[in-house]
Amino acid sequence: MNDSIEELPTPAPGSARPGGRTARTRAAVRDAVLTGLSEHGYPALTVEYVAEHSGVHKTTLYRRWGSVEGLLADALDLAGEDTWAPPDTGSLSEDLRALAHEAVEAFGDPAAAAAPTAFVGAAFQSPRAAEALHSFYEERFRRCEDVVTRAVARGEAPAGTDAGAVVRAVSAPLFLRLFVTREPIDGALADQAARVVLAGVDAGAFVPA
């Protein structure tokens, strides 16, 4: 184990974001959590596994993250700090289509989808994981709302369109197949989801009564 890494003062999840070696330590722990989820799933993920694969002693992990649930929550918190931005093609139709295809690309490859799928599974078993997953997607959907806001400004969507409802509706049929019916998803389904949502936007279905 690397004692110089272990003794760095890592803030609790949700506090001021660390930098330098502390950030690298947190990233190493996050990567070990993701690897463990991908290889073994949430039920088999242990603090000992994360310690072995991150180079951070398990006593340090227990002191700073408390439990597997704490490690999982912080991994999602860290994932939500990226610079991802929604597509901006200049067209609502193409933006919705691009969002749908991003979901297919993210979950279409079993290897790439292993960790995010395990996160969803963990949310059904751990209230803390569920809260972290909710926060992660809440932030993602908030960023996606810009797609609809721009469309309203261009006159492509009615004033008052519920941006949050629109962007959630695009991914809803994809997530239904992924996590409920366990059916495959592809580009054709992504196109269909985007077309259906666009038709709803045009009809004013996303404007609150």
Side-chain angles (χ1 to χ4, degrees):
M1 301 299 175
N2 189 331
D3 293 336
S4 65
I5 290 179
E6 292 166 21
E7 296 310 314
L8 290 171
T10 303
S15 61
R17 303 305 180 202
R21 289 184 298 168
T22 301
R24 291 194 294 273
T25 300
R26 189 179 175 209
V29 170
R30 185 274 314 271
D31 290 345
V33 170
L34 293 179
T35 300
L37 283 174
S38 301
E39 293 181 350
H40 306 293
Y42 173 72
L45 184 66
T46 65
V47 172
E48 288 73 17
Y49 176 95
V50 175
E52 179 182 353
H53 289 78
S54 67
V56 179
H57 197 279
K58 67 179 181 180
T59 57
T60 303
L61 297 177
Y62 278 118
R63 184 173 69 249
R64 296 176 181 173
W65 284 274
S67 63
V68 168
E69 286 77 11
L71 290 165
L72 192 68
D74 193 46
L76 268 173
D77 188 46
L78 188 58
E81 295 173 19
D82 62 17
T83 58
W84 180 87
D88 185 5
T89 67
S91 161
L92 177 60
S93 173
E94 289 303 309
D95 283 349
L96 294 178
R97 183 173 179 273
L99 283 175
H101 276 267
E102 282 195 25
V104 171
E105 291 170 6
F107 289 96
D109 177 12
T117 299
F119 269 123
V120 174
F124 285 94
Q125 302 173 66
S126 163
R128 190 168 182 186
E131 182 180 355
L133 188 69
H134 171 79
S135 296
F136 174 80
Y137 274 108
E138 184 177 50
E139 170 62 17
R140 279 299 164 98
F141 285 130
R142 185 194 63 75
R143 298 185 201 181
C144 290
E145 289 179 12
D146 287 347
V147 165
V148 182
T149 301
R150 293 192 298 259
V152 172
R154 291 192 300 260
E156 292 182 277
T161 295
D162 186 336
V166 170
V167 296
R168 283 168 171 79
V170 174
S171 58
L174 304 174
F175 284 3
L176 173 69
R177 288 189 175 227
L178 284 166
F179 303 119
V180 179
T181 63
R182 305 298 293 170
E183 297 174 86
I185 59 175
D186 56 23
L189 181 65
D191 289 342
Q192 181 187 69
R195 288 196 304 270
V196 168
V197 172
L198 182 64
V201 170
D202 290 341
F206 292 96
V207 177

